[in-house]
Amino acid sequence: MADYEQLRQLVIEGDGDGTIRVTKQLVDGGAGAREILDGGLLPAMDIVGQRMRSGEAFIPEVLLSARTMQGALDLLKPLLAEGDTGNTGTAVIGTVEGDLHDIGKNLVAMMLEGAGFKVVNLGTSVTVAQFVAAVKQHKPQILGMSALLTTTVGRMPELIAALKAAGLRDSVKVMVGGAPVTQAYSDEIGADGYGANAAMAVDHAKALIA
Ligand code: B1M
């Protein structure tokens, strides 16, 4: 019988096949995608982060856990994207330049899709110029930036300044998130919305375009 403790352990160990198997068993047993995320996958990545900080886990192990987590997210994607299929609006999202962390950003993207947004996911290490070009091309209602490093979070105000310089700032609502980002930082840099997690990000995005 699959359980969340087992799932957390498999993600921490970076066991991709085991994680997929247990995730499938939980889905077949009637668990919802949010439940699987909150009960197993997200707490597992928190533990991986603590181990990285304390020197117990190194980059190769962290990368294995991250790949494992992404595999489970891919499996859950149809469930996360279920629901409102209407066209709520367009969201362009990416991880800022110099930053390769994409699990949280991809989760936000999947859940925005689930809320009916058309999502243009620009990937990782997206430059300010690439974000600005994407705003010109896709004319989104929401522009989302993710940053996980204290050394890359400063790209966020740079992009806001670049949008102003290009005369685009009033055309789009800017949302920010990621581990070092707080509501206070979001306010300080003049972003329109912040999400501490993916569910809050989606709620804010919907409220911003209501
Ligand atoms: Co990195 N890493 N990492 N890492 N990594 C952190 C962020 C760190 C906190 C670990 C630690 O020391 N405890 C630390 C940053 C310290 C700091 O800046 N103060 C760190 C470091 C130092 C580094 C390197 C510099 C390590 C090195 O090389 N010496 C290096 C940098 C590489 C680079 O980016 N240039 C590095 C590399 C990596 C891996 C490649 C090995 C891997 C990333 C793989 C990948 O993403 N494909 C990795 C991982 C996995 C982590 C941890 C362990 C987990 C991140 C994660 O995926 N969390 C992380 C520790 C941690 O955060 N606890 C760590 C799960 C994910 C669902 O949560 O991303 O927070 P999160 O997203 C949440 C919310 O933040 C929010 O919603 C999401 C879902 O709830 N959210 C948004 C995110 N984006 C949003 C956008 C929004 C709204 C909400 O609106 C647009």
Side-chain angles (χ1 to χ4, degrees), residues 42 49 52-53 98 100-104 144 146 148-150 178 195 197-198:
L42 295 175
M52 192 177 174
R53 199 167 23 241
L100 301 173
H101 296 85
D102 65 357
I103 296 173
S146 182
L148 266 284
L149 298 170
T150 44
N197 56 48

Side-chain angles (χ1 to χ4, degrees), residues 34 37 80-81 106-117 198-199 202:
R34 294 269 184 104
L37 279 170
L80 287 167
N106 288 343
L107 189 53
V108 173
M110 283 176 198
M111 289 182 63
L112 282 171
E113 280 176 1
F117 281 88
V202 171

